[in-house]
Amino acid sequence: MIPVRKRISYILIALSVAFVAPEKGLKDYYKAYFPIGVAVNPRMVQPGPDADLIKAQFNSMTPENAMKMGPIHPEENRYNWKDADAIADFAQQNNIKLRGHTLCWHNQTPRWFFTDSTGKTVSRKVLLARLKQHITDVMGRYKGKIYAWDVVNEAVPDTGTGIYRKSKFYEIIGEDYIEKAFQYAHEADPSAQLFYNDYNTENASKRERIYQLLKKLKDKKIPINGVGLQAHWSIYEPSAQELEESISKFASLGLKIQFTEVDMSVYPKEHEGRARRDTDKSEFTPEMNDKQAAQYKLVFDIFRKHRDKITGVTFWNLTDKYSWLDNFPVPGRKDYPLLFDQNGQPKKAYERVVNF
């Protein structure tokens, strides 16, 4: 007869062999640094491989489109809560942090927002009232479920010397529409972290103008907590110096920094859409794979170095199966900008991001 002590040891050995700990996800590798997020659509949070990948790898989420003004508020007296609710419910059920995106943006804003029943442009007073109502309703619905919001998105133009993009919000209200949006957001949910979000922030000219905008807000004591640097990059940019300059410059304002829309195009970066040319090929060559892995390593090395300033990093979509870059800047040119391939498998870039 086997002694009790030996029997127990055999059982423990058998259990240890039978139990295989799940492979660590991005969120686990970066647990001591910052949350790792992903932009999602409603289909991804339905039971299936996408939902499983989200749960395994990420501890933060952002709705890619479901909370933008057009999709969530298509008519003045009608909200479309279904898709946004599905994403918020999934986040809560799986203990995943949720970022809101976006409360005020010149794109994907429904036409009714700027016009009256006769089609004429509304007054400053009417547009401010509509903006306040929209922010109050949307933030109110998700109060306690969304910890951070991109309040104003892309208000600075890419070129020229002006600080403000000549959007409908700017033309009708004036530059203080940005201040008002942050004030309305803070009133709607005083506990939410409020971000200004923009792209091309490693360009010296645009970075300086964004900095001036944010400094104005800070000087006026407008309730803003952070800046979202979108990080729509490529395998050719940014340089380490450009990235570090952005982090240091914005952090000097006392703002939290989040990289909110990270992807790494395998093509040279273009910020304007154009027609497809004969020379535009949809391909992911071994050389592109190597370059992408090296560039992802470079930026994540810098992210970790500045862990005291960075409070979140979010990828703009889940896998290479789908990306907005498949149709921008070149319609129908497949891109491969993420850490997971079209089958949801980790790429060489993933290994470079997690091995440190």
Side-chain angles (χ1 to χ4, degrees):
M1 186 171 178
I2 302 172
V4 173
R5 186 177 294 174
K6 277 195 175 181
R7 272 187 284 162
I8 292 171
S9 66
Y10 290 156
I11 291 167
L12 290 174
I13 290 168
L15 286 172
S16 68
V17 171
F19 176 74
V20 179
E23 186 181 351
K24 289 201 298 184
L26 290 164
K27 60 183 171 56
D28 305 306
Y29 288 104
Y30 281 85
K31 190 175 182 179
Y33 292 88
F34 33 70
I36 301 288
V38 60
V40 303
N41 62 47
R43 293 188 306 278
M44 292 178 187
V45 299
Q46 301 306 312
D50 285 347
D52 292 341
L53 187 61
I54 293 167
K55 289 186 282 187
Q57 295 288 337
F58 301 97
N59 53 4
S60 177
M61 297 191 335
T62 303
E64 184 182 18
N65 284 297
M67 291 185 187
K68 289 174 180 173
M69 298 177 97
I72 206 168
H73 198 175
E75 297 172 17
E76 185 167 8
N77 297 310
R78 181 170 71 86
Y79 285 93
N80 173 25
W81 300 117
K82 182 184 175 185
D83 289 349
D85 282 356
I87 292 168
D89 290 346
F90 180 88
Q92 282 222 299
Q93 290 160 11
N94 293 287
N95 198 28
I96 297 174
K97 292 163 73 79
L98 188 60
R99 296 185 85 260
H101 177 80
T102 175
L103 294 167
C104 180
W105 186 32
H106 63 279
N107 274 338
Q108 286 182 258
T109 303
R111 188 178 298 175
W112 69 262
F113 223 87
F114 303 116
T115 56
D116 63 18
S117 58
T118 66
K120 291 181 180 177
T121 300
V122 296
S123 66
R124 167 187 160 92
K125 182 179 178 182
V126 168
L127 186 53
L128 279 173
R130 287 179 174 178
L131 182 61
K132 182 174 184 178
Q133 191 68 57
H134 174 82
I135 290 172
T136 302
D137 291 347
V138 175
M139 288 189 72
R141 186 174 184 88
Y142 301 107
K143 189 174 182 178
K145 297 181 179 181
I146 290 181
Y147 85 98
W149 276 96
D150 292 328
V151 178
V152 177
N153 199 45
E154 302 175 3
V156 176
D158 289 329
T159 57
T161 57
I163 290 178
Y164 300 99
R165 184 187 293 272
K166 302 299 190 287
S167 67
K168 288 283 190 185
F169 288 108
Y170 177 84
E171 290 172 357
I172 297 169
I173 296 172
E175 67 181 60
D176 62 330
Y177 84 89
I178 299 171
E179 299 172 17
K180 296 290 189 185
F182 277 95
Q183 288 168 347
Y184 299 154
H186 182 64
E187 289 166 10
D189 185 355
S191 65
Q193 295 176 29
L194 307 180
F195 282 74
Y196 172 77
N197 194 53
D198 216 327
Y199 66 96
N200 205 14
T201 51
E202 286 63 55
N203 173 279
S205 168
K206 188 170 183 182
R207 177 172 59 215
E208 177 61 30
R209 286 175 286 128
I210 294 171
Y211 174 85
Q212 294 301 330
L213 167 62
L214 298 176
K215 189 174 186 303
K216 274 189 180 184
L217 298 178
K218 290 288 288 184
D219 289 346
K220 289 187 174 183
K221 295 187 167 36
I222 300 300
I224 178 172
N225 305 108
V227 55
L229 311 182
Q230 290 186 14
H232 292 300
W233 295 328
S234 86
I235 59 177
Y236 304 102
E237 62 174 80
S239 69
Q241 182 181 348
E242 288 168 335
L243 181 51
E244 295 218 62
E245 283 179 6
S246 288
I247 293 170
S248 299
K249 191 172 187 71
F250 294 122
S252 72
L253 291 169
L255 292 170
K256 296 174 181 177
I257 292 172
Q258 293 194 352
F259 289 90
T260 53
E261 305 182 20
V262 179
D263 47 29
M264 196 79 68
S265 174
V266 299
Y267 309 111
K269 198 68 190 169
E270 299 173 78
H271 293 290
E272 297 292 330
R274 64 169 174 81
R276 188 167 183 170
R277 303 172 187 143
D278 292 340
T279 52
D280 288 314
K281 296 178 181 177
S282 297
E283 59 182 356
F284 187 52
T285 65
E287 182 188 12
M288 289 172 170
N289 195 10
D290 289 343
K291 275 183 173 290
Q292 186 181 63
Q295 187 69 354
Y296 262 119
K297 180 184 187 307
L298 180 147
V299 301
F300 269 83
D301 285 350
I302 293 171
F303 292 167
R304 292 192 305 275
K305 177 181 174 182
H306 294 280
R307 62 193 287 185
D308 59 322
K309 307 176 188 75
I310 297 171
T311 64
V313 173
T314 296
F315 290 89
W316 206 244
N317 224 283
L318 183 61
T319 73
D320 285 345
K321 184 176 181 180
Y322 166 78
S323 167
W324 73 290
L325 294 170
D326 293 343
N327 287 295
F328 183 89
V330 179
R333 180 185 67 176
K334 179 68 186 161
D335 209 332
Y336 308 86
L338 299 159
L339 297 189
F340 298 94
D341 68 17
Q342 294 178 76
N343 297 312
Q345 297 303 306
K347 293 159 61 180
K348 191 171 188 176
Y350 180 95
E351 303 303 325
R352 293 293 185 88
V353 167
V354 301
N355 289 325
F356 57 89

